[in-house]
């Protein structure tokens, strides 16, 4: 199976048009493509930069010419869970017509959309991408080709992957930034490329504060990684 990660700009998508005009982002949670009715039904999370941005974005989405239905399931502060039905876009039709699959949730922000699509054969992929270029703007950000054994391994270990992802998401913004800067500057190399003093100067905080942020981030990530390793060992015996 061929899996593509695509940065897409469709010219007939209500979500893209809305994020072009309003500071709002959408992330699909569930979706169903009805090919017979040529309609896509989705459940999405909408997040605005402010409450006003959220209201403006939802209003623009409801009135878009390609929107069939848009309703609110829940809303709090700057975030809403919504349900939508839209007419199938040119890109969706092109992928489906050429034997492709939408394989993962999509995210839309700043007039761009991140898609995950799959194909069974190289020729299906080549034909689809050639047709997509005629009516859409896109770039392939990543491409993987999985054999049956690797694909089975990915599916079998999806729970472990989610555990590691949750551990990374548990980091605060400060912990994440401190951890990333320390790694990029060689703090974990031997010999070290940077010191706690250097990192303290970089963030304009005390050496103690940097050390605590690193320890907290390390503990969260390592705790998740250890859980994954233990699950892998249990599966082997």
């Amino acid at each position: 199976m061929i899996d593509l990660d695509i940065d897409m700009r469709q010219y007939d998508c209500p979500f893209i048009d809305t994020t072009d005009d309003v500071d709002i982002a959408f992330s699909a949670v569930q979706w169903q493509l009805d090919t017979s009715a040529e309609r896509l039904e989705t459940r999405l999370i909408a997040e605005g930069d402010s409450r006003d941005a959220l209201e403006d974005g939802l209003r623009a989405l409801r009135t878009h010419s390609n929107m069939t239905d848009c309703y609110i399931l829940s809303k709090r502060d700057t975030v809403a869970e919504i349900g939508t039905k839209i007419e199938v876009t040119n890109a969706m039709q092109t992928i489906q017509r050429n034997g492709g699959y939408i394989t993962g949730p999509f995210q839309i922000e700043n007039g761009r959309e991140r898609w995950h699509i799959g194909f069974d054969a190289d020729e299906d992929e080549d034909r689809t991408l050639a047709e997509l270029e005629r009516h859409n703007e896109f770039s392939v950000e990543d491409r993987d080709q999985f054999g049956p054994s690797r694909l089975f391994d990915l599916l079998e270990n999806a729970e472990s992957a989610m555990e590691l992802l949750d551990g990374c998401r548990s980091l605060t913004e400060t912990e994440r930034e401190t951890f990333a800067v320390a790694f990029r500057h060689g703090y974990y190399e031997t010999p070290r490329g940077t010191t706690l003093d250097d990192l303290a100067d970089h963030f304009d905080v005390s050496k103690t504060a940097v050390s605590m942020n690193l320890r907290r981030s390390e503990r969260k990530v390592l705790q998740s990684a250890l859980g994954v390793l233990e699950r892998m060992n249990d599966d082997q015996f």
Side-chain angles (χ1 to χ4, degrees):
M1 180 178 180
I2 301 162
D3 188 69
L4 299 182
D5 186 3
I6 292 183
D7 181 67
M8 172 82 72
R9 180 175 178 83
Q10 303 180 82
Y11 296 115
D12 56 351
C13 175
F15 303 113
I16 288 179
D17 286 346
T18 299
T19 62
D20 241 348
D21 300 329
V22 184
D23 290 327
I24 190 172
F26 301 100
S27 182
V29 178
Q30 299 170 332
W31 70 99
Q32 178 177 328
L33 180 61
D34 187 340
T35 55
S36 60
E38 296 187 345
R39 185 170 297 165
L40 175 72
E41 184 171 358
T42 55
R43 299 290 183 272
L44 303 102
I45 300 299
E47 183 173 7
D49 280 5
S50 64
R51 290 185 179 183
D52 287 342
L54 178 64
E55 294 299 332
D56 291 343
L58 295 179
R59 190 178 304 110
L61 203 59
R62 291 191 194 98
T63 58
H64 194 280
S65 59
N66 218 25
M67 180 62 64
T68 303
D69 193 13
C70 178
Y71 49 94
I72 296 173
L73 297 168
S74 64
K75 185 170 62 172
R76 182 176 180 181
D77 295 329
T78 62
V79 179
E81 182 185 3
I82 64 174
T84 66
K85 294 179 182 178
I86 69 169
E87 301 297 325
V88 172
T89 64
N90 170 268
M92 295 176 195
Q93 289 178 328
T94 299
I95 292 167
Q96 188 271 333
R97 184 173 60 249
N98 287 290
Y101 310 88
I102 299 177
T103 60
F106 49 88
Q107 297 84 35
I108 313 103
E109 189 172 8
N110 298 324
R112 309 292 302 187
E113 190 169 21
R114 184 57 63 96
W115 277 29
H116 302 279
I117 61 176
F119 301 94
D120 294 326
D122 290 338
E123 54 267 27
D124 295 336
E125 174 194 3
D126 294 340
R127 186 170 58 252
T128 301
L129 295 183
E131 289 190 25
L132 283 176
E133 285 184 328
R134 300 174 190 170
H135 303 287
N136 305 273
E137 176 190 332
F138 71 91
S139 62
V140 177
E141 301 296 307
D142 195 18
R143 183 186 190 275
D144 287 307
Q145 191 156 6
F146 304 104
S149 59
R150 187 181 177 200
L151 186 58
F152 181 80
D153 190 38
L154 287 171
L155 295 174
E156 190 178 41
N157 291 286
E159 186 177 349
S160 294
M162 285 302 302
E163 182 177 347
L164 188 57
L165 184 60
D166 287 341
C168 293
R169 283 175 171 162
S170 70
L171 271 66
T172 66
E173 183 177 350
T174 299
E175 292 166 354
R176 186 165 55 246
E177 185 179 0
T178 304
F179 197 23
V181 170
F183 180 82
R184 286 198 299 266
H185 287 234
Y187 181 76
Y188 296 100
E189 300 293 332
T190 304
R192 283 180 169 168
T194 191
T195 66
L196 286 176
D197 288 323
D198 295 332
L199 294 171
D201 290 340
H202 178 87
F203 290 105
D204 194 23
V205 297
S206 70
K207 180 178 174 180
T208 301
V210 169
S211 179
M212 290 180 60
N213 286 328
L214 283 178
R215 287 182 180 277
R216 282 194 292 260
S217 59
E218 289 165 357
R219 184 174 62 252
K220 291 177 181 179
V221 173
L222 289 174
Q223 184 176 4
S224 300
L226 182 60
V228 172
L229 290 172
E230 289 174 344
R231 183 178 289 109
M232 290 173 62
N233 288 333
D234 290 343
D235 291 342
Q236 289 175 357
F237 296 102

